[in-house]
Every structure is written in structure tokens, then in C-alpha cells.
Amino acid sequence: DKEDLLDLYNAVNGTEYENADELEITTIEDVIYLSMKNDLSFMFGVVMNLYEHQSTWNENMPLRGFFYFSELYQQYLNRKNIKLTDEKKRVMVPFPKYVVFYNGTRDMPDRVEMKLSDCFLKPDREEGEPCLECKATVLNINAGRNNDMMRKCRRLSDYAYFIGQIRWKMDEGWSLEEATEISIKWCIDRGILADILTKYGTEVCRMILTEYDEQEEREYQRAEGRAEGRAEGDSLRLISQIQKKRAKAKPLSTIAEELEESEEVLRPLYELVTEHPDNTSEELLELWQKEKK
């Protein structure tokens, strides 16, 4: 809603504009290749704004914003039929402003500035300043944070209160689904996001459950990756130890006793080392993984 968006813009920038018709929504549809959701881009005057919402902390926001702005500027030039091949005059483009609204559970300050240049690998020799930059201003919108901004934008403060209510109910022992349903009814009864929650309560509940499932899946994948990495490291150390002891002509029974492992567990690795005495431990690990597959 443009009226709500103008309130949010004024709250973020400390302005008092009143004509919402001056806003032009420029959100890119179906940005699948970036896996970006909850984005909103809009023009206001000569300012190109990109607003994003994050419920989990993401160190890559400046890089994502850089790609997004690149597409926005390309679309802007196309709409204006501006050609960069015209060398007679400088092409002027809108002023970029990138804001990320964060309401995750990590304890963060009210305001953080993230820079694309922090992502760049450092060259061995001094190269001066990088030629590219993209800054993201991250605003903490959890209940009780950025109070001045919250007071200027009712929608934003209501949203923060709604999410806070869900978390409070979960802390009391309710499941996420139960906490969300209870919080929706509680907020409607008190006029908090009442129009949205009355009309779209089911969709809001489904969205929150879906977001939570995606977060859990990401955490699971990270945990699986760490476990797989540890298992690979353990196997590599075991192969290396067997190689050293096999080089001293020690039999499997002795190696198993010294490594405090059963002969049954070590036998496949022992046979692999025996069959490929000239291979490195890394090469043997690769062979071992292929055999297991």
C-alpha cells in the first residue's frame, strides 16, 4: 500500500512527505536466480530505494543488493530509452538507497552498515580503494528497538509487536503454529494489524510456518555439512595412520590394537592402503569414497 510505504519511507529518512502518488513501485518480479524474497524497490523523486526484510542474519546483503541494483538500473535505462553509447553527455541515474529491516533473534544494535567492499579478497600488494561499493543499512525492527522510527510508522511497530507476541507465546511452551494462531487473534482483538490479519490471517500463518521450515532446513544442511566434514577428516587421519604403521610392516591386528579400533572396521582401509602403496592419503580417501558410493 503506497500510503503505508510513504509512512515507512518517512520513518526511515526522518522526512514528512505527504503525496504517496509520487512513489513508483519498481520491484523486480520473479528474481529466481537470486533467491530473493520480501524485496520492495521503488522510486521516490530521484531516489531509487531497495527495501528488504530478513528474519535471519545474512552477511551477503551488500552483494545481493549490488546484483539487484544492477538489474534496476538496467531497467531504468530501458524505460527511459537511454543509450550508453552516446558519448556527448553524461548519463544521470537515480540516487541509490538500500535498507534491510532485520527482526531475527540475534542480538544486534539498532543500526548496522554493511559494505560490499568488506567481501572483497585482499590482494597481496596494495591496490588502493576498490572500484565498486554497495552499502546496506540494516535496521533492527524487533520490539523495543529503533523507537523513534517505530513511532513514526504504525505498520512497522505493529509488525514488530506481532512477531514479538509469537515469540513470547513460544517461550511459554506453545508450538509455532499455535503461537501464531493465538497471536493473530490477540492482535486482531487489539487492533494491531487488524485489517491485514483479518483478511489474510491464514496466508500470514502459512507464510510464517514456511519461513520457519526453511530456516530449520538451512540449519539442518549446515549441521549435515559440518558432520560430513568431520567424518571425512576422521577417515583421512585414519588412512594416514594406517599408512605409517603399514610402512613399518605392522600387521592389521597390531594396527587395530594400537589405534584402539576393531579389525573389522579397519580391514577395508588396510586393504586399500596395501593395494595402493604409492598413493597419498588424500588420493586413498577419494578412492575410499568412490568405493562406498
Side-chain angles (χ1 to χ4, degrees), residues 67-83:
F67 288 129
Y68 204 104
F69 272 115
S70 176
E71 182 66 22
L72 284 174
Y73 279 120
Q74 185 64 57
Q75 291 188 7
Y76 174 84
L77 295 177
N78 291 340
R79 286 198 309 273
K80 300 292 184 179
N81 196 28
I82 297 175
K83 304 298 182 182

Side-chain angles (χ1 to χ4, degrees), residues 238-260 263 266-267 269-271 273-275:
L238 204 55
I239 290 172
S240 179
Q241 289 172 325
I242 293 173
Q243 280 181 304
K244 293 175 183 177
K245 295 179 183 298
R246 182 71 180 79
K248 297 178 182 179
K250 293 184 178 181
L252 175 60
S253 57
T254 303
I255 295 175
E257 183 178 348
E258 291 179 354
L259 295 180
E260 297 182 347
E263 292 186 30
L266 295 183
R267 189 179 303 280
L269 293 176
Y270 178 84
E271 291 176 351
V273 170
T274 303
E275 292 173 8

Side-chain angles (χ1 to χ4, degrees), residues 63-283:
L63 188 56
R64 286 157 56 100
F66 172 73
F67 288 129
Y68 204 104
F69 272 115
S70 176
E71 182 66 22
L72 284 174
Y73 279 120
Q74 185 64 57
Q75 291 188 7
Y76 174 84
L77 295 177
N78 291 340
R79 286 198 309 273
K80 300 292 184 179
N81 196 28
I82 297 175
K83 304 298 182 182
L84 297 180
T85 52
D86 186 353
E87 300 176 358
K88 296 181 180 179
K89 64 178 182 179
R90 175 182 296 167
V91 172
M92 304 300 291
V93 293
F95 184 92
K97 192 153 190 180
Y98 184 20
V99 178
V100 179
F101 300 96
Y102 170 74
N103 72 332
T105 55
R106 181 188 290 193
D107 185 22
M108 300 299 297
D110 283 4
R111 184 187 184 100
V112 176
E113 186 177 84
M114 304 177 71
K115 298 189 297 183
L116 175 63
S117 56
D118 292 335
C119 305
F120 296 146
L121 297 171
K122 307 303 179 186
D124 293 334
R125 64 176 186 272
E126 181 59 45
E127 297 287 349
E129 293 296 319
C131 68
L132 296 176
E133 186 61 281
C134 181
K135 297 178 181 179
T137 300
V138 185
L139 301 175
N140 191 336
I141 59 167
N142 281 295
R145 309 307 296 262
N146 278 300
N147 290 321
D148 288 343
M149 181 180 69
M150 293 296 194
R151 278 193 292 268
K152 295 176 182 177
C153 185
R154 175 68 184 273
R155 285 292 198 202
L156 192 59
S157 61
D158 281 1
Y159 173 68
Y161 198 88
F162 170 56
I163 297 300
Q165 183 68 22
I166 293 174
R167 288 174 179 158
W168 294 331
K169 288 299 176 184
M170 290 181 67
D171 288 342
E172 292 178 358
W174 299 94
S175 69
L176 175 65
E177 185 172 6
E178 292 169 334
T180 303
E181 291 174 351
I182 293 170
S183 298
I184 288 175
K185 185 178 185 306
W186 194 92
C187 287
I188 290 175
D189 291 343
R190 287 157 180 79
I192 299 171
L193 296 180
D195 55 337
I196 294 176
L197 295 177
T198 299
K199 188 174 182 179
Y200 301 108
T202 301
E203 289 85 346
V204 169
C205 186
R206 186 183 303 120
M207 178 191 71
I208 291 173
L209 293 174
T210 300
E211 174 71 14
Y212 183 80
D213 288 343
E214 289 178 355
Q215 289 181 32
E216 283 205 324
E217 176 63 19
R218 287 194 293 269
E219 288 298 323
Y220 173 77
Q221 293 293 346
R222 280 196 287 267
E224 284 290 292
R226 288 193 295 269
E228 184 176 328
R230 285 195 298 270
E232 183 174 302
D234 291 342
S235 297
L236 184 62
R237 283 192 295 273
L238 204 55
I239 290 172
S240 179
Q241 289 172 325
I242 293 173
Q243 280 181 304
K244 293 175 183 177
K245 295 179 183 298
R246 182 71 180 79
K248 297 178 182 179
K250 293 184 178 181
L252 175 60
S253 57
T254 303
I255 295 175
E257 183 178 348
E258 291 179 354
L259 295 180
E260 297 182 347
E261 290 280 0
S262 68
E263 292 186 30
E264 290 72 18
V265 170
L266 295 183
R267 189 179 303 280
L269 293 176
Y270 178 84
E271 291 176 351
L272 190 67
V273 170
T274 303
E275 292 173 8
H276 305 278
D278 298 326
N279 287 40
T280 65
S281 53
E282 288 79 9
E283 291 170 340

